[in-house]
Amino acid sequence: MDGNGRWAKKRGLPRALGHQRGVEAVRKLVRATEPMGIDCLTLYAFSSENWKRPEDEVDHLMGLLRKFIKTDLEEFIANDVKLKIIGDYKAFAPDIVEMIEDALEKTSDGSRILAVALNYGAQQEIVRAATLAAEQGEISESALERHLYTSDMPPLDLLIRTSGEVRLSNFLLWQCAYAEMSFVDVLWPDFTPAHLQNALDDFAKRERRYGGR
Ligand code: FPP
């Protein structure tokens, strides 16, 4: 969800406001997934590298996360959304861990997955999966996949990166092996369900060969 900072800077506003508008974009997008037929949406909210940001920005992001869970939980439950976290969220403050675990439990019967990547890094995920697989004495593609955070999620079809950046930034590296990519030159707070629909329409035209012909 790239571009919150630039969105705010362009308007002479504090970065915090960009993140705030970013959360509003999240809310609108999550609401749009059901009519669009999307069964699983994953959002990169906080990377394992984002700790390097100034403390006040990290604190603000944590505050937004708390508010998001508190405000949106009932709507998730009512709309059949199953919350999932990918990443080591247990490194967060104890009250956030508690809120997350409560939300995971309360949405566990949902059928449409909203996965939020928190303290997530794909290289760390792969090392963790390889370690767990090795402990069980099997190193293979399927064994590793069983230990990825995404093991109970459908295969990744489409990855969208906003804000004009053209790199993966340690996101879902394993899962991207055969995913389609869409790089959109729109800052995250301006990213609407219409932009998502455009990306889906473009995705529908692609021919996926998975290395075959
Ligand atoms: C990247 O923009 C955005 C982030 C590092 C944070 C994304 C987080 C949110 C939208 C809020 C929390 C999420 C939830 C689900 C409650 P940037 O700051 O790197 O912007 P820039 O590239 O323009 O500097």
Side-chain angles (χ1 to χ4, degrees), residues 1-6 15 19 22-23 45 50 53 61 65 68:
M1 298 190 282
D2 226 359
N4 295 344
R6 274 164 288 165
R15 283 182 75 83
H19 290 314
V23 177
N50 284 152
R53 295 195 174 204
L61 286 170
L65 181 62
F68 178 68

Side-chain angles (χ1 to χ4, degrees), residues 2-212:
D2 226 359
N4 295 344
R6 274 164 288 165
W7 183 93
K9 196 170 174 196
K10 258 173 61 180
R11 289 163 178 77
L13 298 169
R15 283 182 75 83
L17 226 97
H19 290 314
Q20 234 158 285
R21 292 296 290 261
V23 177
E24 283 165 35
V26 168
R27 196 166 281 132
K28 286 187 192 138
L29 212 65
V30 174
R31 286 180 184 150
T33 52
E34 188 181 14
M36 284 180 172
I38 296 171
D39 292 330
C40 182
L41 175 73
T42 305
L43 298 169
Y44 203 177
F46 194 86
S47 79
S48 35
E49 288 75 34
N50 284 152
W51 295 111
K52 292 183 216 152
R53 295 195 174 204
E55 202 180 328
D56 62 339
E57 184 173 352
V58 171
D59 287 348
H60 180 72
L61 286 170
M62 296 299 144
L64 287 178
L65 181 62
R66 284 185 181 93
K67 205 162 139 201
F68 178 68
I69 298 175
K70 210 178 272 174
T71 314
D72 292 61
L73 182 59
E74 291 307 319
E75 187 174 327
F76 291 163
I77 298 167
N79 291 315
D80 206 22
V81 170
K82 180 190 178 99
L83 184 71
K84 181 169 168 73
I85 305 295
I86 64 170
D88 182 16
Y89 69 89
K90 292 194 178 166
F92 285 179
D95 71 301
I96 299 185
V97 173
E98 202 176 305
M99 284 176 84
I100 288 174
E101 290 181 345
D102 177 60
L104 292 175
E105 200 199 311
K106 288 187 173 144
T107 60
S108 61
D109 289 336
S111 61
R112 290 182 304 112
I113 298 175
L114 170 64
V116 183
L118 291 175
N119 195 19
Y120 173 85
Q123 291 178 336
Q124 295 87 326
E125 177 189 33
I126 294 168
V127 170
R128 176 181 173 273
T131 307
L132 293 168
E135 277 168 16
Q136 293 182 3
E138 186 192 341
I139 300 279
S140 64
E141 287 159 31
S142 59
L144 243 84
E145 263 167 13
R146 282 198 297 277
H147 295 290
L148 294 173
Y149 292 120
T150 52
S151 61
D152 55 353
M153 286 160 60
L156 179 62
D157 286 323
L158 173 64
L159 178 128
I160 302 174
R161 173 129 197 194
T162 57
S163 91
E165 305 288 6
V166 190
R167 54 175 175 260
L168 293 180
S169 297
N170 207 14
F171 191 50
L172 299 177
L173 299 181
W174 178 285
Q175 297 84 344
C176 276
Y178 285 103
E180 296 294 323
M181 310 265 155
S182 174
F183 296 95
V184 185
D185 199 2
V186 173
L187 302 175
W188 176 256
D190 292 330
F191 190 84
T192 64
H195 292 111
L196 178 58
Q197 189 60 57
N198 283 345
L200 291 180
D201 293 345
D202 181 48
F203 170 79
K205 291 183 204 134
R206 299 194 193 175
E207 188 197 348
R208 304 181 78 188
R209 291 191 298 276
Y210 300 93

